[in-house]
Amino acid sequence: MTGNTLRVVPGEENRTFRNSYLMKLGDRLTWRLVGDDGTVEWLNRLAALLELESGDCEKACTVRFVRKQPRGLWGRLLRHAPSPPIVDGLPQSGWKHGHLGPVMMWWHADVSDVLCEIGHGVSDDLEIISMWRSLHALYRGVLESGGLPLHAALLCRGNEGVVVVAGGGVGKTTCCRNVVPPWTARADDAVVIVPSGCGGYVAHPFPTWSEYFFHGSNRTWDVQRGVALKALFFLEQGTNDEVLPVGQGEAALRLNHFSAYISRIGWVRPDPCDQALRLKTLFDNCCGVARCVPAFNLRAKLGSGFLNEIGKVMK
């Protein structure tokens, strides 16, 4: 942190963080999630939704959740450059930020901490949106590790799984509803894949946020319980159930499209240099996944017959 000075503002330099939770994806990525007095209940709810347990780890990247300051970030957003929350022990200058609706995220080249400033929730829906957007603090680490967040479903058979990639309205949720044993559907909207220590990838289920807006869901998601990723399927609606191989180049381009939808959705006025670097990292990761994981077009009709076609290529 050489060259950075610490800000000292009466009453704010003693911000207390409490209720630390650990989140681990694969065998390489671990985050420590902590909230201050203004976000502790919000964080407890997010941790319950993601099935996280309390814990601490000095080596983990720390994501600090704080509430916006009075007459601070949001009041100045349109007129002045925003400034990061004041956290004792962290530098004053050198922070970059990203704006995602009710969430502002801050990261710094010299520290591993990420600051995530949450707007004051005036409704339950806004609180859910802030939880949804706050996961982008983790997506940066996922991309830096060689992984991808994807707009996709996760179907599992034992400790192995396949990712079914498609846009909205194509049929991911319908396929998940038609899954029969020994298959299970772990996610129908968002999946995060990260490199594993053995040269492959691990797929983790992430929440379907629309369930909370439209259906008042109480569902939770065991995001840390990943499965070995065996194949990628790009879903198309069809009159017959069939699977057709996809070349690595085409698979990389398609992955880039569906990962960009998740990893960049909602950003307001991103830093051009940072955005260019993230786009390059995203595409490089897509190429890496396409080289390692076999990819197919999946044409599926209503019913569970598509599982037989998936099973053939997993043998």
Side-chain angles (χ1 to χ4, degrees):
M1 295 185 288
T2 304
N4 292 299
T5 59
L6 300 180
R7 289 173 294 165
V8 180
V9 176
E12 293 190 6
E13 73 277 11
N14 295 319
R15 187 188 302 274
T16 300
F17 289 92
R18 56 184 87 240
N19 284 39
S20 173
Y21 294 93
L22 289 181
M23 180 172 177
K24 183 176 181 180
L25 300 183
D27 52 11
R28 301 180 182 181
L29 289 176
T30 302
W31 292 271
R32 174 175 171 259
L33 311 182
V34 297
D36 69 355
D37 290 338
T39 58
V40 62
E41 292 184 7
W42 178 95
L43 178 58
N44 289 345
R45 184 178 178 186
L46 176 63
L49 191 150
L50 301 179
E51 299 187 17
L52 305 181
E53 295 184 356
S54 299
D56 208 341
C57 178
E58 292 184 358
K59 296 181 180 180
C61 172
T62 299
V63 181
R64 301 181 184 272
F65 298 100
V66 303
R67 289 288 184 185
K68 74 177 184 71
Q69 297 302 310
R71 289 166 46 187
L73 172 61
W74 311 118
R76 299 193 306 270
L77 186 60
L78 297 179
R79 293 174 295 172
H80 306 285
S83 58
I86 297 168
V87 176
D88 189 28
L90 295 183
Q92 175 183 5
S93 61
W95 291 91
K96 293 184 178 181
H97 67 273
H99 178 207
L100 281 164
V103 173
M104 181 72 83
M105 272 172 284
W106 306 84
W107 55 92
H108 197 286
D110 295 337
V111 296
S112 61
D113 289 46
V114 178
L115 304 181
C116 194
E117 193 170 14
I118 308 298
H120 287 277
V122 296
S123 69
D124 189 65
D125 282 354
L126 191 60
E127 292 286 79
I128 291 293
I129 291 173
S130 66
M131 294 177 192
W132 179 9
R133 299 310 197 202
S134 72
L135 294 184
H136 285 256
L138 311 181
Y139 290 166
R140 292 187 65 88
V142 169
L143 290 173
E144 290 169 359
S145 77
L148 296 171
L150 283 169
H151 193 205
L154 177 60
L155 307 183
C156 302
R157 188 177 65 181
N159 293 322
E160 297 179 340
V162 301
V163 168
V164 178
V165 186
V170 176
K172 296 188 304 298
T173 299
T174 299
C175 285
C176 289
R177 289 172 179 165
N178 290 328
V179 164
V180 295
W183 292 89
T184 58
R186 295 276 309 281
D188 68 355
D189 189 63
V191 178
V192 169
I193 63 175
V194 294
S196 67
C198 58
Y201 289 83
V202 178
H204 293 262
F206 268 58
T208 301
W209 295 99
S210 61
E211 290 193 11
Y212 302 94
F213 300 127
F214 304 125
H215 307 295
S217 175
N218 292 318
R219 181 177 178 180
T220 62
W221 307 77
D222 189 358
V223 297
Q224 297 186 98
R225 185 163 64 90
V227 293
L229 178 60
K230 305 303 291 184
L232 300 162
F233 294 90
F234 298 100
L235 180 63
E236 302 173 2
Q237 294 181 354
T239 56
N240 296 301
D241 295 311
E242 60 179 336
V243 166
L244 302 171
V246 172
Q248 292 183 10
E250 182 180 355
L253 290 173
R254 292 193 186 185
L255 285 172
N256 189 76
H257 171 76
F258 289 106
S259 185
Y261 173 82
I262 292 291
S263 62
R264 293 194 293 139
I265 189 171
W267 284 107
V268 177
R269 292 184 300 214
D271 177 86
C273 294
D274 182 68
Q275 184 80 333
L277 178 60
R278 292 181 69 218
L279 289 173
K280 182 182 183 302
T281 301
L282 177 68
F283 185 70
D284 289 345
N285 292 356
C286 291
C287 292
V289 173
R291 284 192 296 267
C292 181
V293 183
F296 305 86
N297 282 334
L298 171 63
R299 294 175 182 166
K301 60 181 181 179
L302 293 177
S304 60
F306 72 95
L307 293 170
N308 295 326
E309 302 300 316
I310 288 178
K312 292 177 183 177
V313 302
M314 285 186 65
K315 291 181 179 179

